[in-house]
Amino acid sequence: MVGEEIQAISPLGYPLIHTFKTNGSFFLLDTSTSSALEIDNIAYQYLKNSNGNSSSPKQNNSINKFSQSEINSVKKEFNQLKNQGLFQYPKAQKPEPTPEQITSYRPYHFVLIVTQKCNLRCGYCYETKTTNPNHKINMPLETAYKAIDFLLSQSNRKKCGLTFFGGEPLINFSLIKKVVRYAKRKAQEVGKTFYFNITTNGTLLPSETIRFITREKFNLLVSFDGPEKINDHYRIFPNGKGSHQIILRNIKRLQAESDIHFSVRATLTRQCTSLMKLYHYFADEKIPKAYIQPVSSLQNHKTYPPFHLKKNDVHSLLKEYEKLAELILKKHKDKKAVVVNPFKDYLELIHESAVRHISCGVCRGMMAIGTDGLIYPCQRFVGMKNFTIGDFDQGIDVPKILHIFQKFHEARNSCKSCWAFNICAGGCMHDWAKEDGNFKKQDETRCTITKKLIELSIYLYARIMEKN
Amino acid sequence: MVHFKKLNNNPKCLKNLKSIFFEYKSDVLSEKSKTIIRTNARCLSANPGIKIALIGHSDDREIREFKNELSIKRANQVKAFLVLLGLPKNRFIIKSSDQYKNVRVPPDEQTRSKNRRVDFLAYIKIPPKCDFEDVSCPPKKEIECNHKEGSCPLDISCLKKETGCGKKEKGCNRRETPPCLNKENCETEDVEDCNGSDVCLTEDDCHDDIPCNSEDNNPCIFGESSCPKEKPCDNSDTCLSEIICFFHKEDCGSEESQSNNRGGQKS
């Protein structure tokens, strides 16, 4: 499903060129520069056989069907590109970010875990592994206020952000209201402003709440897995009852009563790998935007949980991504919008020929505050004591952040032989994190999916640029 | 025969497109300006998929006298020269700055001269979001079209600046009802118009307060925390599309975009 793995290897063992065929077209990614090229079948076959060394192509049947002049023409172009700076192996040895690069970021966005409590018991929720269900608490108001003060004192930006997270954050709605009021007032005092986000399960959205988040221009993300049968497989109340009807009813109310930006986040499990089915469902329900993310399933005692995507599931999911890419192209051609675009981030990275060190703002501009008042790299780390990176009294523990990154970089060494590394940068740090503070790759399916997304993004990019 | 076609090899020069400066009350290109435009044009030629917004600016005195007219004229002069150099005219959209990016007071001659310019803003269109499957638009708050101030080209409540400025669109009355939520709410002929207008931003909306997870009507799709005001919204056809920002990377950081609101399968 994913294209040819590595076509040329640098002397240092890093991949230089990745060639692949997708949706009927051939492409090449120069991994050291993240330069993408569309190639024809002759070039594709030639590179497959030459292993990137233009002087000594191995002849076989696939290449023999082309004339010598055609092959020479490919060789000539390939060498011209080499002379222009492509396919240069020294650049493939990507330097790790320096400590200065890591620590030069000042926090400007906090994710506040306003409560650990939740009114749902979703089967795949990672919260269960980090929080003792018997000791779930709300964030004390004083902690939230301290977080605001701390953020304003640390941030060097005029705009600061707060995301309310949980648990289910709307369980602690009274605190949210107070925090918003406090944040706005304190920000005004120092000539700054706040923007607000909230991630909710969508079951607690009465009109009063909608009015509030509308007035305060919240960005709302609703966790919602789509059709009733799919959503209610894992997103259930403690009594086992599904949450679909309530969430959908609240979304409809939200659409009727508010004009705020909201989107939906669906988690893809092996119960449904049909992206197109979800796409059409969300479109039919007039959901403006949906993120569909494959479930993150960490291995536990050498077994995977039942929602884990197995090989066959991943195979069919990759096919679905191909279909989705075609649908997006059609929408683009017709100047219509799309609900789901999992290629968005990669399109940008490809567009900018990006070589990334870190895949997100973890530990840097964005940090999370637990109910305990401790600072964590992001909301997914909250509760993992080995990953705390400071508190409001002592400030941000910069050596600890560097230590975390160092460990992470060491663990990512195994990725450096992957052609996708410069774009994916190892992916989500939390997916690698272990309770003991170390890192280890735990979910290979994500790699397969990421590679496919990058390939399809290059395909999309080529077609979009063509149309533009 | 071309076997290798570069897709994204050199967008860096697009970040270094230089602005063109003008004399007071003038839209005439100097020789120096033409040299700069030629340099910019070489970069644009090498990146054929890139669209360019030419954003004209005027200083405070010119604004008082000409409103945005001179800014538009300046941008058009630059466009005309670029077309003369062989670039297709449909790659460019013309905007006036509406003063939002102008160098602020004190208005001495030095700062004023910096305000008499045309900026190049590079972008591409990519598949849009915010889909209502062809028939409807997102609910949109009321937007006053301030045509008295001449800001119509940037005020996207005006669907078509030639006809729509300050007027209600026929059929699809977005001031009194949510615009085209359902096809039934609109006359058939209005549906397309509605789609073409309501996903756009007003200048006020396109503000760096707005996190870019709101890209359903934010042209700065990739920035997580902010969308600089100067991102254009092309009323003609790009309103339905999204735009990759080239500039203000510090504001539109991809590193941040992933972290915001998509942190795992939390309930």
Side-chain angles (χ1 to χ4, degrees), chain A residues 371-444:
Chain A
T371 52
D372 49 13
L374 297 175
I375 304 171
Y376 295 87
C378 82
Q379 69 273 15
R380 298 188 74 188
F381 284 92
V382 170
M384 298 172 80
K385 297 293 182 190
N386 282 309
F387 288 96
T388 55
I389 54 170
D391 59 46
F392 304 138
D393 296 326
Q394 302 295 319
I396 292 167
D397 188 347
V398 174
K400 181 74 175 290
I401 290 177
L402 290 172
H403 176 73
I404 288 172
F405 271 101
Q406 191 186 345
K407 289 245 178 197
F408 183 47
H409 294 153
E410 285 168 10
R412 290 192 313 179
N413 270 330
S414 59
C415 286
K416 286 183 178 171
S417 59
C418 172
W419 63 264
F421 183 54
N422 278 358
I423 295 178
C424 116
C428 173
M429 184 191 270
H430 180 266
D431 283 349
W432 294 64
K434 296 170 70 179
E435 280 291 336
D436 63 4
N438 287 311
F439 292 96
K440 188 187 172 195
K441 187 181 279 188
Q442 299 182 60
D443 187 3
E444 288 288 344

Coordinates of all heavy atoms in Angstrom, one line a residue, chain A residues 371-444:
Chain A
T371 N -4.9 19.1 37.4 CA -5.6 19.5 38.6 C -4.8 19.7 39.8 O -5.1 20.4 40.8 CB -6.7 18.5 38.9 OG1 -6.1 17.2 39.0 CG2 -7.8 18.5 37.8
D372 N -3.6 19.0 39.8 CA -2.7 19.1 40.9 C -1.8 20.4 40.8 O -1.0 20.6 41.7 CB -1.7 17.9 40.9 CG -1.1 17.6 39.5 OD1 -1.2 18.5 38.6 OD2 -0.6 16.5 39.3
G373 N -2.0 21.2 39.8 CA -1.2 22.4 39.7 C 0.1 22.2 39.1 O 0.9 23.2 39.1
L374 N 0.4 21.0 38.7 CA 1.8 20.8 38.1 C 1.7 21.0 36.5 O 0.6 21.0 35.9 CB 2.2 19.3 38.3 CG 2.4 19.0 39.8 CD1 2.8 17.5 40.0 CD2 3.6 19.8 40.4
I375 N 2.8 21.3 36.0 CA 2.9 21.6 34.6 C 3.4 20.4 33.8 O 4.4 19.8 34.2 CB 3.8 22.8 34.3 CG1 3.4 24.0 35.1 CG2 3.9 23.2 32.8 CD1 4.4 25.2 35.0
Y376 N 2.7 20.0 32.8 CA 3.0 18.9 32.0 C 3.3 19.3 30.5 O 2.8 20.3 30.1 CB 1.8 17.9 32.0 CG 1.6 17.3 33.4 CD1 0.7 17.9 34.3 CD2 2.2 16.1 33.8 CE1 0.5 17.4 35.5 CE2 1.9 15.5 35.0 CZ 1.1 16.2 35.9 OH 0.8 15.7 37.1
P377 N 4.0 18.4 29.8 CA 4.3 18.8 28.4 C 3.0 19.0 27.5 O 3.0 20.0 26.7 CB 5.0 17.5 27.8 CG 5.6 17.0 29.1 CD 4.7 17.2 30.2
C378 N 2.0 18.3 27.7 CA 0.7 18.5 27.0 C -0.4 17.8 27.8 O -0.1 17.0 28.7 CB 0.7 18.1 25.5 SG 0.5 16.4 25.2
Q379 N -1.6 17.9 27.3 CA -2.7 17.4 28.1 C -2.7 15.9 28.2 O -3.2 15.2 29.1 CB -4.1 17.8 27.5 CG -4.4 17.3 26.1 CD -3.8 18.1 25.0 OE1 -3.0 19.0 25.2 NE2 -4.3 17.9 23.8
R380 N -2.0 15.2 27.2 CA -2.0 13.8 27.2 C -1.0 13.2 28.3 O -1.1 12.1 28.6 CB -1.6 13.3 25.8 CG -2.6 13.7 24.7 CD -2.3 13.0 23.4 NE -2.7 11.6 23.5 CZ -2.4 10.7 22.5 NH1 -1.7 11.1 21.5 NH2 -2.8 9.4 22.6
F381 N -0.1 14.1 28.7 CA 0.8 13.6 29.7 C 0.3 13.8 31.2 O 1.0 13.4 32.1 CB 2.2 14.4 29.6 CG 3.0 13.9 28.4 CD1 2.9 14.5 27.2 CD2 3.9 12.9 28.6 CE1 3.7 14.1 26.1 CE2 4.7 12.5 27.6 CZ 4.6 13.1 26.3
V382 N -0.8 14.5 31.3 CA -1.2 14.9 32.6 C -1.4 13.7 33.5 O -2.1 12.7 33.0 CB -2.5 15.8 32.5 CG1 -3.1 16.0 33.9 CG2 -2.1 17.1 31.9
G383 N -0.9 13.7 34.6 CA -1.0 12.5 35.5 C 0.3 11.6 35.5 O 0.5 10.8 36.3
M384 N 1.1 11.8 34.5 CA 2.3 11.0 34.4 C 3.4 11.8 35.1 O 4.1 12.7 34.5 CB 2.7 10.7 32.9 CG 1.6 10.0 32.1 SD 1.9 9.8 30.4 CE 3.1 8.5 30.3
K385 N 3.6 11.4 36.3 CA 4.5 12.2 37.2 C 5.9 12.3 36.7 O 6.6 13.3 37.1 CB 4.5 11.6 38.6 CG 3.1 11.6 39.3 CD 2.6 13.0 39.6 CE 1.3 13.0 40.3 NZ 0.7 14.3 40.4
N386 N 6.4 11.3 36.0 CA 7.8 11.4 35.5 C 7.9 12.4 34.4 O 9.0 12.6 33.9 CB 8.2 10.0 35.0 CG 8.6 9.1 36.1 OD1 9.3 9.5 37.0 ND2 8.0 7.9 36.2
F387 N 6.8 13.0 34.0 CA 6.9 14.0 32.9 C 6.6 15.4 33.3 O 6.3 16.2 32.5 CB 6.1 13.5 31.7 CG 6.6 12.4 31.0 CD1 6.2 11.1 31.2 CD2 7.6 12.5 30.0 CE1 6.7 10.0 30.6 CE2 8.1 11.4 29.3 CZ 7.7 10.2 29.6
T388 N 6.5 15.6 34.6 CA 6.1 17.0 35.0 C 7.3 17.9 34.7 O 8.5 17.5 34.8 CB 5.9 17.1 36.5 OG1 7.0 16.5 37.2 CG2 4.7 16.3 36.9
I389 N 7.0 19.1 34.2 CA 8.0 20.0 33.8 C 8.0 21.4 34.6 O 8.4 22.4 34.1 CB 8.0 20.3 32.3 CG1 6.6 20.8 31.9 CG2 8.3 19.0 31.5 CD1 6.5 21.3 30.4
G390 N 7.4 21.3 35.8 CA 7.5 22.5 36.6 C 6.2 22.7 37.4 O 5.3 21.9 37.3
D391 N 6.2 23.8 38.1 CA 5.0 24.2 38.8 C 5.0 25.8 38.9 O 6.0 26.4 38.5 CB 4.9 23.6 40.2 CG 6.1 23.9 41.1 OD1 6.5 25.1 41.2 OD2 6.7 23.0 41.7
F392 N 4.0 26.3 39.5 CA 3.9 27.8 39.5 C 4.9 28.5 40.5 O 5.2 29.6 40.3 CB 2.5 28.2 39.9 CG 1.4 27.6 39.0 CD1 0.2 27.1 39.5 CD2 1.6 27.5 37.6 CE1 -0.7 26.5 38.6 CE2 0.7 26.9 36.8 CZ -0.5 26.4 37.3
D393 N 5.3 27.7 41.5 CA 6.2 28.3 42.5 C 7.7 28.3 42.0 O 8.4 29.3 42.0 CB 6.1 27.6 43.8 CG 4.8 27.7 44.4 OD1 4.2 28.8 44.2 OD2 4.3 26.8 45.1
Q394 N 8.1 27.2 41.4 CA 9.5 27.0 41.0 C 9.6 27.4 39.5 O 10.8 27.6 39.1 CB 9.9 25.5 41.2 CG 9.8 25.0 42.6 CD 10.7 25.7 43.5 OE1 11.9 26.0 43.2 NE2 10.3 26.0 44.7
G395 N 8.5 27.5 38.8 CA 8.6 27.9 37.4 C 8.8 26.7 36.5 O 8.7 25.5 37.0
I396 N 9.2 26.9 35.3 CA 9.3 25.9 34.3 C 10.7 25.2 34.5 O 11.7 26.0 34.5 CB 9.1 26.4 32.9 CG1 7.6 26.7 32.8 CG2 9.5 25.3 31.9 CD1 7.3 27.5 31.5
D397 N 10.7 23.9 34.6 CA 12.0 23.2 34.8 C 12.7 23.0 33.4 O 12.5 21.9 32.8 CB 11.6 21.9 35.5 CG 12.9 21.1 35.9 OD1 14.0 21.5 35.5 OD2 12.7 20.2 36.7
V398 N 13.5 23.9 33.0 CA 14.1 23.8 31.7 C 15.0 22.6 31.6 O 14.9 21.9 30.6 CB 14.9 25.1 31.4 CG1 15.6 25.0 30.1 CG2 13.9 26.3 31.3
P399 N 15.9 22.3 32.6 CA 16.7 21.1 32.4 C 15.8 19.8 32.2 O 16.2 18.9 31.5 CB 17.5 21.0 33.7 CG 17.5 22.5 34.2 CD 16.2 23.1 33.8
K400 N 14.7 19.8 32.9 CA 13.8 18.6 32.7 C 13.3 18.5 31.3 O 13.2 17.5 30.7 CB 12.7 18.7 33.7 CG 11.7 17.6 33.7 CD 12.3 16.3 34.3 CE 11.2 15.2 34.4 NZ 10.2 15.4 35.4
I401 N 12.9 19.7 30.8 CA 12.4 19.7 29.4 C 13.5 19.2 28.4 O 13.3 18.3 27.6 CB 12.0 21.1 29.0 CG1 10.7 21.5 29.7 CG2 11.8 21.2 27.5 CD1 10.2 22.9 29.4
L402 N 14.7 19.7 28.7 CA 15.8 19.2 27.8 C 16.1 17.7 28.0 O 16.4 17.0 27.0 CB 17.1 20.0 28.1 CG 17.1 21.5 27.7 CD1 18.3 22.2 28.3 CD2 17.1 21.6 26.2
H403 N 15.9 17.3 29.2 CA 16.1 15.8 29.5 C 15.1 15.0 28.7 O 15.4 14.0 28.1 CB 16.0 15.6 31.0 CG 16.1 14.2 31.4 ND1 17.3 13.4 31.4 CD2 15.1 13.3 31.8 CE1 17.0 12.2 31.8 NE2 15.7 12.1 32.0
I404 N 13.8 15.5 28.8 CA 12.7 14.8 28.1 C 13.0 14.7 26.6 O 12.9 13.7 26.0 CB 11.4 15.5 28.4 CG1 11.0 15.2 29.8 CG2 10.3 15.0 27.4 CD1 9.7 16.0 30.3
F405 N 13.4 15.8 26.1 CA 13.7 15.9 24.6 C 14.9 15.0 24.3 O 14.9 14.3 23.2 CB 13.9 17.3 24.1 CG 12.7 18.0 23.7 CD1 12.0 18.9 24.6 CD2 12.1 17.7 22.5 CE1 10.9 19.5 24.2 CE2 10.9 18.3 22.1 CZ 10.3 19.2 23.0
Q406 N 15.9 15.0 25.1 CA 17.0 14.1 24.9 C 16.6 12.7 24.8 O 17.0 11.9 23.9 CB 18.1 14.4 25.9 CG 19.4 13.7 25.6 CD 20.4 13.8 26.7 OE1 20.2 14.5 27.6 NE2 21.5 13.0 26.6
K407 N 15.8 12.3 25.8 CA 15.3 10.9 25.8 C 14.5 10.6 24.6 O 14.6 9.5 24.0 CB 14.5 10.7 27.1 CG 15.3 10.7 28.3 CD 15.2 9.3 29.0 CE 16.0 9.2 30.2 NZ 16.3 7.8 30.6
F408 N 13.7 11.5 24.2 CA 12.8 11.3 23.1 C 13.7 11.2 21.8 O 13.4 10.3 20.9 CB 11.8 12.5 23.0 CG 10.8 12.3 21.8 CD1 10.1 11.1 21.6 CD2 10.5 13.4 21.0 CE1 9.2 11.0 20.6 CE2 9.6 13.2 20.0 CZ 9.0 12.1 19.8
H409 N 14.7 12.0 21.7 CA 15.5 12.0 20.5 C 16.3 10.7 20.4 O 16.4 10.1 19.3 CB 16.5 13.2 20.5 CG 15.8 14.5 20.3 ND1 16.3 15.6 20.8 CD2 14.6 14.8 19.8 CE1 15.4 16.6 20.6 NE2 14.4 16.1 20.0
E410 N 16.7 10.2 21.5 CA 17.4 8.9 21.6 C 16.5 7.8 21.1 O 16.9 6.9 20.3 CB 17.9 8.6 23.0 CG 19.1 9.4 23.3 CD 19.5 9.3 24.8 OE1 18.8 8.5 25.5 OE2 20.3 10.1 25.3
A411 N 15.3 7.8 21.6 CA 14.3 6.8 21.2 C 14.0 6.9 19.7 O 13.8 5.9 19.0 CB 13.0 7.0 22.0
R412 N 14.0 8.1 19.2 CA 13.6 8.3 17.7 C 14.7 7.9 16.8 O 14.6 7.9 15.6 CB 13.3 9.8 17.5 CG 12.0 10.3 18.1 CD 11.7 11.6 17.5 NE 12.8 12.5 17.5 CZ 12.8 13.7 17.0 NH1 11.7 14.2 16.6 NH2 13.8 14.5 17.0
N413 N 15.9 7.5 17.3 CA 17.0 7.1 16.4 C 16.5 6.0 15.4 O 17.0 5.9 14.3 CB 18.2 6.6 17.2 CG 19.1 7.7 17.6 OD1 19.2 8.7 16.8 ND2 19.8 7.6 18.7
S414 N 15.6 5.1 15.9 CA 15.2 4.1 15.1 C 14.4 4.6 13.9 O 14.2 3.9 12.9 CB 14.3 3.1 15.9 OG 13.2 3.8 16.4
C415 N 13.9 5.8 14.0 CA 13.1 6.4 12.9 C 14.0 7.0 11.8 O 13.5 7.3 10.7 CB 12.3 7.5 13.4 SG 10.8 7.0 14.3
K416 N 15.3 7.2 12.1 CA 16.1 7.9 11.1 C 16.4 7.2 9.8 O 16.8 7.7 8.9 CB 17.4 8.3 11.8 CG 17.2 9.4 12.8 CD 18.5 9.9 13.4 CE 18.2 11.0 14.4 NZ 19.4 11.4 15.2
S417 N 16.1 5.9 9.8 CA 16.2 5.2 8.6 C 14.9 5.2 7.8 O 14.8 4.5 6.8 CB 16.6 3.7 8.8 OG 15.7 3.1 9.7
C418 N 13.9 5.9 8.3 CA 12.6 6.0 7.6 C 12.6 7.2 6.7 O 13.0 8.3 7.1 CB 11.5 6.1 8.6 SG 9.9 6.4 7.9
W419 N 12.1 7.0 5.5 CA 12.0 8.2 4.5 C 11.1 9.3 5.0 O 11.2 10.4 4.6 CB 11.6 7.7 3.2 CG 10.2 7.1 3.1 CD1 9.8 5.8 3.2 CD2 8.9 7.8 3.0 NE1 8.5 5.6 3.2 CE2 7.9 6.8 3.0 CE3 8.6 9.1 2.9 CZ2 6.5 7.2 2.9 CZ3 7.3 9.5 2.8 CH2 6.2 8.5 2.8
A420 N 10.2 8.9 5.9 CA 9.2 9.9 6.3 C 9.6 10.8 7.5 O 8.9 11.7 7.8 CB 7.8 9.2 6.6
F421 N 10.8 10.5 8.0 CA 11.1 11.1 9.3 C 11.2 12.6 9.3 O 10.8 13.3 10.2 CB 12.5 10.5 9.7 CG 12.9 11.0 11.1 CD1 12.1 10.9 12.2 CD2 14.2 11.6 11.2 CE1 12.5 11.3 13.4 CE2 14.6 12.0 12.5 CZ 13.7 11.9 13.6
N422 N 11.8 13.1 8.2 CA 11.9 14.6 8.2 C 10.6 15.3 8.1 O 10.5 16.5 8.4 CB 12.8 15.0 7.0 CG 14.3 14.8 7.3 OD1 14.6 14.5 8.4 ND2 15.1 15.1 6.3
I423 N 9.6 14.6 7.7 CA 8.3 15.3 7.7 C 7.5 14.9 9.0 O 6.8 15.8 9.6 CB 7.5 14.9 6.4 CG1 8.2 15.4 5.2 CG2 6.0 15.4 6.5 CD1 7.6 15.0 3.9
C424 N 7.5 13.7 9.4 CA 6.7 13.3 10.5 C 7.4 13.6 11.9 O 6.7 13.8 12.9 CB 6.3 11.8 10.4 SG 6.8 10.7 11.6
A425 N 8.7 13.6 11.9 CA 9.5 13.9 13.1 C 9.2 12.9 14.2 O 9.3 13.3 15.4 CB 9.3 15.3 13.5
G426 N 8.7 11.8 13.9 CA 8.5 10.8 15.0 C 7.1 10.8 15.5 O 6.6 10.0 16.3
G427 N 6.3 11.8 15.1 CA 4.9 11.9 15.5 C 4.7 12.4 16.9 O 5.6 13.0 17.5
C428 N 3.6 12.0 17.5 CA 3.2 12.5 18.8 C 4.1 11.9 19.9 O 4.3 10.7 20.0 CB 1.8 12.1 19.1 SG 1.2 12.4 20.8
M429 N 4.7 12.8 20.7 CA 5.6 12.3 21.7 C 4.9 11.4 22.7 O 5.5 10.5 23.2 CB 6.2 13.6 22.4 CG 7.2 13.3 23.5 SD 7.6 14.7 24.5 CE 9.0 15.4 23.6
H430 N 3.7 11.7 23.0 CA 3.0 10.9 24.0 C 2.8 9.5 23.5 O 2.8 8.6 24.4 CB 1.6 11.5 24.3 CG 0.8 10.8 25.3 ND1 -0.1 9.8 25.0 CD2 0.8 10.8 26.7 CE1 -0.6 9.3 26.1 NE2 -0.1 9.9 27.1
D431 N 2.7 9.3 22.2 CA 2.5 7.9 21.7 C 3.8 7.0 22.1 O 3.7 5.8 22.0 CB 2.3 7.9 20.2 CG 0.9 8.3 19.8 OD1 0.1 8.4 20.8 OD2 0.6 8.6 18.6
W432 N 4.9 7.7 22.3 CA 6.1 7.0 22.7 C 6.3 6.9 24.2 O 7.2 6.1 24.6 CB 7.3 7.7 22.1 CG 7.4 7.8 20.6 CD1 6.6 8.5 19.8 CD2 8.5 7.3 19.8 NE1 7.1 8.4 18.5 CE2 8.2 7.6 18.5 CE3 9.6 6.5 20.1 CZ2 9.0 7.3 17.4 CZ3 10.5 6.2 19.1 CH2 10.2 6.5 17.7
A433 N 5.6 7.7 24.9 CA 5.9 7.8 26.4 C 5.5 6.6 27.2 O 4.4 6.1 27.0 CB 5.3 9.1 26.9
K434 N 6.4 6.3 28.1 CA 6.1 5.2 29.1 C 6.0 5.8 30.5 O 6.6 6.8 30.7 CB 7.2 4.1 29.0 CG 7.2 3.4 27.7 CD 8.5 2.5 27.6 CE 8.4 1.3 28.5 NZ 9.6 0.5 28.4
E435 N 5.3 5.1 31.3 CA 5.1 5.7 32.7 C 6.4 6.0 33.4 O 6.4 6.9 34.2 CB 4.2 4.7 33.5 CG 2.7 4.7 33.2 CD 2.1 6.0 33.7 OE1 2.6 6.6 34.6 OE2 1.0 6.4 33.1
D436 N 7.4 5.2 33.1 CA 8.7 5.3 33.9 C 9.5 6.5 33.4 O 10.6 6.7 33.8 CB 9.5 4.1 33.8 CG 9.9 3.7 32.4 OD1 9.6 4.5 31.4 OD2 10.5 2.6 32.2
G437 N 9.0 7.3 32.4 CA 9.7 8.5 32.0 C 10.5 8.2 30.7 O 11.2 9.1 30.2
N438 N 10.5 7.0 30.3 CA 11.3 6.7 29.0 C 10.4 6.7 27.8 O 9.2 6.9 27.9 CB 12.0 5.3 29.2 CG 13.1 5.4 30.1 OD1 14.0 6.2 30.0 ND2 13.1 4.5 31.1
F439 N 11.0 6.5 26.7 CA 10.2 6.5 25.4 C 10.5 5.2 24.7 O 11.6 4.8 24.6 CB 10.6 7.7 24.6 CG 10.2 9.0 25.1 CD1 11.1 9.8 25.9 CD2 8.9 9.5 25.0 CE1 10.7 11.0 26.4 CE2 8.5 10.7 25.5 CZ 9.4 11.5 26.2
K440 N 9.5 4.8 24.0 CA 9.6 3.6 23.2 C 8.5 3.6 22.2 O 7.3 3.9 22.5 CB 9.6 2.3 24.0 CG 9.9 1.1 23.2 CD 9.7 -0.2 24.1 CE 9.8 -1.4 23.2 NZ 9.3 -2.6 23.8
K441 N 8.8 3.3 20.9 CA 7.7 3.2 19.9 C 6.8 2.1 20.3 O 7.2 0.9 20.5 CB 8.3 3.0 18.5 CG 7.2 3.1 17.5 CD 7.8 2.8 16.1 CE 8.4 4.1 15.5 NZ 8.8 3.9 14.1
Q442 N 5.5 2.4 20.3 CA 4.6 1.4 20.8 C 3.5 1.0 19.8 O 2.7 0.2 20.0 CB 3.9 1.9 22.1 CG 4.9 2.1 23.2 CD 4.3 2.5 24.5 OE1 3.5 1.8 25.0 NE2 4.6 3.7 25.0
D443 N 3.4 1.8 18.7 CA 2.3 1.6 17.8 C 2.8 1.8 16.4 O 2.8 2.9 15.9 CB 1.2 2.6 18.1 CG -0.1 2.2 17.3 OD1 -0.1 1.3 16.6 OD2 -1.1 3.0 17.5
E444 N 3.1 0.7 15.7 CA 3.6 0.8 14.4 C 2.5 1.1 13.3 O 2.8 1.6 12.3 CB 4.2 -0.6 13.9 CG 5.5 -0.9 14.6 CD 6.7 -0.1 14.1 OE1 6.5 0.5 13.0 OE2 7.7 0.0 14.8

